[in-house]
Every structure is written in structure tokens, then in C-alpha cells.
Amino acid sequence: QVQLQESGGGSVQAGGSLRLSCASSGRAISILTVAWFRPAPGKQREFVGRILWSGGYTYYADSMKGRFTVSRNNAENTVYLQMNSLKPEDTSVYSCAARLYGTHSTTGSGYDYWGQGTQVTVSS
């Protein structure tokens, strides 16, 4: 069983930065493909970015490229989402999700384990 716990959310002004953490317990982060999602109008959730368990390859939604970075620290058993140049429209609850030995997926159905989410608020 995998438990995921997000942290690092908060309030920031537009143009600022935040780093979110997704800590894994129960399984090593090195064998988990981990993605970040946020709710979106008209959708169940919006894909933000992900990191593959093998090779640590990353992939991002077009609107996040160049601003958001997903990384992993195996020693800390944690995946990070570094968010720069934040915009008011980035205000949301960000959740991490994982699948053991997961392949690439940008949809929620590609992941089995979910954290509770952490709130990010960007003011103009």
C-alpha cells in the first residue's frame, strides 16, 4: 500500500514561486511514477506534470512548460513540484498521484494512489 502526503502549499503573489512536496510512505518513491493534478472547470482534473519511475523522465502540460518542474529525491522518498512565475489562474488544490512501475499517463485513471491535496493561492 502507498500513502502520499502533499505539503508546501500557501499564498503567494503573482510572479512568485512555491515548491510542493509529495512524500511517499509504504513504498519507495523510486518505483513510483508520480504525477501532479489540479481540478479544472469542465474536467474532472487537469494534468500538470509527471515523473517516470524509470529514468526520472518528466513530462508537462503545455501551459506548465517552462514554469513548473517535477523532480525527485530518492533519499527523501519525495517528489517535488517547483512552480515559478505563478499566475492567479494557477490558484487551485494540487494533488499528487502515483502508480507502482507506472507508464506515461496524463489522466487520473492512470494512477492508483492519491494524496489529499494542498492549496495554492496566487493573488494579483
Side-chain angles (χ1 to χ4, degrees):
Q1 188 71 8
V2 175
Q3 290 85 40
L4 302 174
Q5 179 64 59
E6 302 94 339
S7 61
S11 297
V12 65
Q13 288 193 325
S17 298
L18 279 174
R19 188 179 77 160
L20 307 183
S21 300
C22 174
S24 171
S25 60
R27 291 284 187 157
I29 202 78
S30 59
I31 60 172
L32 295 172
T33 286
V34 178
W36 289 91
F37 289 88
R38 66 188 189 187
K43 305 177 186 179
Q44 185 174 9
R45 56 181 66 92
E46 178 181 27
F47 171 80
V48 174
R50 67 98 177 105
I51 184 164
L52 288 178
W53 73 273
S54 178
Y57 298 105
T58 56
Y59 180 86
Y60 304 94
D62 286 343
S63 61
M64 284 60 162
K65 284 179 184 175
R67 298 193 302 127
F68 291 7
T69 302
V70 181
S71 62
R72 182 176 68 197
N73 186 317
N74 291 342
E76 296 183 356
N77 227 30
T78 300
V79 164
Y80 300 98
L81 176 65
Q82 176 68 43
M83 304 186 295
N84 298 328
S85 301
L86 282 163
K87 307 173 183 179
E89 52 264 42
D90 293 320
T91 294
S92 190
V93 175
Y94 287 74
S95 299
C96 63
R99 173 169 280 187
L100 284 167
Y101 306 109
T103 56
H104 169 72
S105 177
T106 61
T107 64
S109 61
Y111 301 87
D112 303 305
Y113 306 101
W114 292 80
Q116 293 297 311
T118 185
Q119 176 70 45
V120 171
T121 302
V122 185
S123 58
S124 57

